Amino acid sequence: MRVFFAIPIPDSVREKIRAIQDMLKESYGGKYTDGDNLHITLAFIGDVDTKVIDMLTEIEINSDTIPAEFKLSLRGMDSFKDGKVTYLKVEKNAEIERLRAYLEERLSALGIPFEMRDEFCPHVTIRRGKKEMIKEESETLEINVSSFALYESKRVDGELKYVPIKTFGGNILMTTKIMKGKDAIEEGARLINSGGIVAFPTETVYGLGANALDEEATLKIFEAKGRPQDNPLIVHVASVDDIPKLVEEISEGARRVIDAFMPGPITVIMKKSDAIPNSVTAGLRNVGIRMPVNETAREFIRACGCPIAAPSANRSTRISPTSAEHVYEDMNGRIPLIIDGGASDVGIESTIIDMTRDTPTILRPGAITESMLLSVLSEVRTFQGKVISVAPAPGMKYRHYAPRCETVVASDVESAISGYDRAKEEGRDPVIVARSHEAYGDRNVIELGKSDEEVCRNIYSALHRGETEHDYIIIEDFGDGGIGDSVMNRVNKASGGKRI
Ligand code: TXA
Ligand code: MG
């Protein structure tokens, strides 16, 4: 039996193919086979058995259902010369090459040899008597692939039929581009406006954005991150003028916070308007609004022409990214584009303040501290306040920011040193994350810098480095008060509360 990989063609492309078919039908008459699928033909050598189906099932489990971006250029050839037939060709591109390599690897691991035919036929096939004719056509079609199907080809009453065996998600084909500057912003805006998702820099951490007014687009964020859908997204704007239509009202207090701290590392929770779909707020009546100060972020949002819903651009439970490289490490193959704006200045997520409560309440500490907020509000419930445990930000119940290796907080220099030495004796490869290496002799230390701003800016990249280069991370306790609270909030999550 022959097995085909088929990429179901979206309506827009199908229309084009139909138009070609009609044209051909008119000029030649006769029967033609309809082409709803681009067939990437995989000729399995030998019988296809359940192993293949198992492999595809495995792909299905491991893959996301986010659409892959496909650019296939159709190179046509007028082949009906002297009765000779050629198919319209789809030029192979990097994505297809990637599919080939992927399948080769997976199939050979299963002991199944395979061939991938070079031509991909969008089945614009005209039949006239026994001959097939193909009309020349040259065009670039962009295809958003959201799924693949495994087809079996069968002859039914002399006609070739493709019978679907199995359908699965298409993200295995996605390559993630990293771009900079004006081109990046244009490409990012184009993707957002066609319902896609894009990672972009902000001064806090990198975000993974979608059009906040497009429910379907925002759902792709949850898929790409593996984020539970009951955890709401923050909505980013390029200007404070864009806020009123997103919220029911801006209270006097909210107005003061906005005026004082936007643009900047703060998210203000207000009552949402009907413009915001439920997918963004996870069904809550409130929405978090943020206006980044990062210029690239704002240019990007402005170019999109819509508010951008964005969580941090990491997979759920992983460390938030503060550089394009961090995003790439975590999200390669899951998103089409990362806009590279360099390292994030602030380095930890925005302060979240809920302005819908009687007492404005900090749901997540950040670089805008409670004392800064108190300069414009008469009272603030701090993150440590008891109210927090009653109604925390929904995200607080998930273990966030977790490095891949064991991570602990050391109460003081002595316990950091003894923890380090013990780990060393056990044959592990520990590292200490500290403001400075000074107290630690020649032990491995990732230095953050002495000022609070430096600690904030560098903490996530230190955790990224720690998990990549070592297998045990010991983090200095940065104490409390001001930014210390904000950093320790992340550090305690990274360690799951484990102390030595
Ligand atoms: O700095 C930041 O805020 C970054 C950048 C990209 O802007 N974004 C970010 O998003 O950190 P995320 O999704 O990783 O964290 C947002 C947190 C989550 O814990 C979520 O539960 C909470 O904000 N949140 C969002 N909307 C909320 C709402 N309407 N009510 C309560 N909490 C909300
Ligand atoms: Mg996050």
Side-chain angles (χ1 to χ4, degrees):
M1 129 181 172
R2 300 279 300 276
V3 177
F4 294 83
F5 264 108
I7 305 164
I9 293 176
D11 287 346
S12 58
V13 175
R14 187 175 299 145
E15 271 165 31
K16 287 189 183 183
I17 291 178
R18 285 263 151 77
I20 299 169
Q21 287 169 336
D22 286 348
M23 189 257 297
L24 289 167
K25 204 174 170 186
E26 210 171 280
S27 49
Y28 296 109
K31 277 204 311 181
Y32 71 99
T33 54
D34 219 318
D36 274 1
N37 292 297
L38 274 184
H39 294 271
I40 298 176
T41 309
L42 284 170
F44 291 93
I45 300 164
D47 280 345
V48 173
D49 57 22
T50 50
K51 277 193 281 187
V52 176
I53 308 299
D54 285 350
M55 181 200 74
L56 293 164
T57 312
E58 203 183 314
I59 294 173
E60 187 168 61
I61 292 163
N62 291 340
S63 71
D64 280 325
T65 48
I66 48 175
E69 264 284 306
F70 242 73
K71 267 191 186 166
L72 303 178
S73 66
L74 294 189
R75 233 189 3 207
M77 273 183 289
D78 190 343
S79 58
F80 193 60
K81 284 194 181 104
D82 312 319
K84 202 171 137 267
V85 176
T86 323
Y87 292 99
L88 278 176
K89 285 201 169 180
V90 177
E91 218 172 65
K92 267 205 288 189
N93 65 1
E95 279 85 1
I96 291 180
E97 197 37 52
R98 204 170 127 139
L99 172 67
R100 195 200 56 71
Y102 178 85
L103 289 167
E104 190 160 29
E105 190 193 313
R106 300 299 289 272
L107 287 166
S108 66
L110 291 166
I112 301 168
F114 88 103
E115 281 170 9
M116 191 152 166
R117 242 166 55 178
D118 255 5
E119 73 272 40
F120 309 111
C121 331
H123 285 246
V124 183
T125 311
I126 291 278
R127 289 184 180 181
R128 197 192 210 182
K130 280 193 173 132
K131 293 170 189 157
E132 292 189 343
M133 295 185 298
I134 301 297
K135 181 69 182 164
E136 179 167 359
E137 183 65 27
S138 184
E139 206 175 347
T140 299
L141 300 180
E142 265 177 39
I143 303 176
N144 264 318
V145 180
S146 54
S147 67
F148 290 87
L150 181 70
Y151 282 67
E152 180 189 354
S153 67
K154 272 190 181 156
R155 268 193 192 279
V156 181
D157 301 332
E159 290 269 334
L160 201 54
K161 290 258 156 75
Y162 298 98
V163 185
I165 304 173
K166 181 125 199 121
T167 312
F168 55 97
N171 81 312
I172 54 166
L173 289 194
M174 190 179 300
T175 44
T176 301
K177 280 180 287 187
I178 303 182
M179 292 173 73
K180 276 188 182 155
K182 210 169 136 261
D183 288 353
I185 286 176
E186 270 171 23
E187 175 68 1
R190 193 190 64 73
L191 284 164
I192 294 290
N193 285 308
S194 57
I197 54 178
V198 171
F200 64 100
T202 84
E203 70 278 14
T204 56
V205 300
Y206 274 64
L208 180 58
N211 179 351
L213 308 180
D214 177 348
E215 173 141 39
E216 214 175 294
T218 59
L219 290 173
K220 292 177 189 165
I221 295 176
F222 292 93
E223 285 171 11
K225 274 180 68 93
R227 178 179 177 117
Q229 284 195 8
D230 61 351
N231 194 1
L233 307 175
I234 292 173
V235 175
H236 298 68
V237 295
S239 152
V240 287
D241 299 338
D242 297 334
I243 300 175
K245 54 181 172 296
L246 305 176
V247 299
E248 212 162 80
E249 56 154 2
I250 302 178
S251 67
E252 201 197 313
R255 169 57 63 196
R256 263 184 273 141
V257 174
I258 290 168
D259 288 347
F261 302 110
M262 282 194 193
I266 190 154
T267 298
V268 179
I269 308 253
M270 291 172 275
K271 277 218 169 64
K272 84 174 193 75
S273 76
D274 292 340
I276 305 279
N278 281 330
S279 56
V280 169
T281 57
L284 297 178
R285 302 227 313 274
N286 301 333
V287 63
I289 306 281
R290 167 155 143 69
M291 175 181 174
V293 68
N294 180 291
E295 226 3 90
T296 311
R298 275 190 2 239
E299 264 175 49
F300 167 63
I301 301 166
R302 222 176 283 124
C304 293
C306 58
I308 298 293
S312 48
N314 52 291
R315 283 207 239 168
S316 205
T317 79
R318 303 294 314 281
I319 307 165
S320 293
T322 55
S323 72
E325 290 72 29
H326 292 162
V327 181
Y328 188 81
E329 256 170 50
D330 210 16
M331 303 298 284
N332 180 25
R334 297 176 158 251
I335 56 174
L337 175 68
I338 303 166
I339 300 177
D340 184 354
S344 296
D345 260 357
V346 175
I348 60 171
E349 298 89 342
S350 61
T351 302
I352 302 181
I353 182 146
D354 186 348
M355 296 303 300
T356 67
R357 307 190 191 194
D358 292 342
T359 305
T361 300
I362 295 177
L363 300 183
R364 178 172 72 183
I368 306 291
T369 61
E370 58 217 35
S371 56
M372 289 160 82
L373 285 160
L374 271 181
S375 68
V376 293
L377 297 171
S378 54
E379 52 173 7
V380 169
R381 189 146 298 166
T382 70
F383 182 65
Q384 280 83 6
K386 286 240 153 52
V387 176
I388 297 304
S389 60
V390 176
M396 301 307 167
K397 65 176 187 260
Y398 305 105
R399 183 168 179 248
H400 261 159
Y401 324 121
R404 275 174 295 221
C405 63
E406 191 184 345
T407 303
V408 298
V409 176
S411 308
D412 48 37
V413 172
E414 288 70 43
S415 48
I417 288 178
S418 59
Y420 183 101
D421 293 348
R422 212 171 327 123
K424 210 61 189 174
E425 272 163 34
E426 289 164 5
R428 300 170 78 178
D429 177 11
V431 66
I432 298 170
V433 174
R435 282 186 195 262
S436 141
H437 71 272
E438 274 159 31
Y440 299 107
D442 57 4
R443 292 172 184 83
N444 281 321
V445 173
I446 300 176
E447 281 194 334
L448 299 174
K450 292 201 172 139
S451 72
D452 285 348
E453 287 69 26
E454 283 170 300
V455 170
C456 218
R457 186 181 311 135
N458 296 324
I459 186 69
Y460 279 144
S461 56
L463 295 179
H464 274 284
R465 222 182 100 195
E467 69 171 9
T468 323
E469 296 172 10
H470 303 273
D471 60 22
Y472 184 50
I473 304 176
I474 303 166
I475 313 174
E476 212 173 69
D477 190 329
F478 301 108
D480 39 38
I483 274 184
D485 279 341
S486 309
V487 173
M488 284 316 291
N489 169 258
R490 273 71 180 181
V491 165
N492 288 332
K493 282 183 182 174
S495 63
K498 228 184 294 168
R499 297 183 73 91
I500 56 168

